[in-house]
Amino acid sequence: MTRDIFVNLHAGREPCEIQWAGEKLHLLPERALWWSGGRTLFIADIHLGKAATYRALGQPVPSGTTRENLARLTALMMHYEPLQVVFLGDFMHAQQARTSSLFSALQAWRDRFAGTACVLVRGNHDSRAGDPPAPLGITVVDEPWLLGPFAARHHPQTHETHHVIAGHLHPAVHLHGRGRDHLRLPCFAFEDRQVILPAFGEFTGGWTVSRTDDLQLYPVGGHKVWRLP
């Protein structure tokens, strides 16, 4: 794909800009978080190879999710030009995901952005799938990994001194309209000192978040992120 094609993947999308932990953050419709001050892109729960894992178990699920995930990630990286990408756990889904086709696609993506640092904060699926191959040049760390005012985690859990950016739960929210209309959308879920990101992966489920006074939700839908009143 040309640069123009990847730029078009990002065109027309409306991120939501907020102030949190004394920093400017952008909640992105691609279900990622951009920290402009640190030139860092946070990605949670990409679950590469999940569809292939299910197909290996005899489930006739669609193919192409890895290609779609990497295309969205590429578009984000070309648009924002991050100095680093932080994956908040569950990079690969399982051992069955460790296929030559997946590694070839990942290596081509990594070669394209060889100057961008990549960090993986290990999640529960990473302990089963194993760390990414060394040639990908992805630094693998245990949680919490401290970066500026933030503690990067996979599992949501507060930190004594830092604001937590986490994944794992794949938060989603139900929106109800008139009559029996309703939508279920992925969302960013904020507490006072913690945010849980929606899953970046195309082939993932979600945990429905209950709306409470101490939880601020930002749904993702229609290429837009907005704050629920």
Side-chain angles (χ1 to χ4, degrees), residues 117-189:
C118 290
V119 176
L120 168 62
V121 182
R122 284 190 183 96
N124 53 302
H125 279 269
D126 301 302
S127 63
R128 298 194 294 270
D131 293 342
L136 292 178
I138 297 175
T139 301
V140 182
V141 298
D142 292 323
E143 62 179 355
W145 187 65
L146 305 185
L147 179 65
F150 304 118
R153 306 190 65 107
H154 177 65
H155 300 90
Q157 185 176 343
T158 57
H159 192 275
E160 291 183 358
T161 58
H162 289 61
H163 285 63
V164 170
I165 303 177
H168 183 56
L169 296 180
H170 307 188
V173 62
H174 267 122
L175 302 181
H176 298 275
R178 294 181 177 179
R180 297 184 178 180
D181 291 344
H182 65 90
L183 289 172
R184 188 173 183 270
L185 299 174
C187 69
F188 296 83

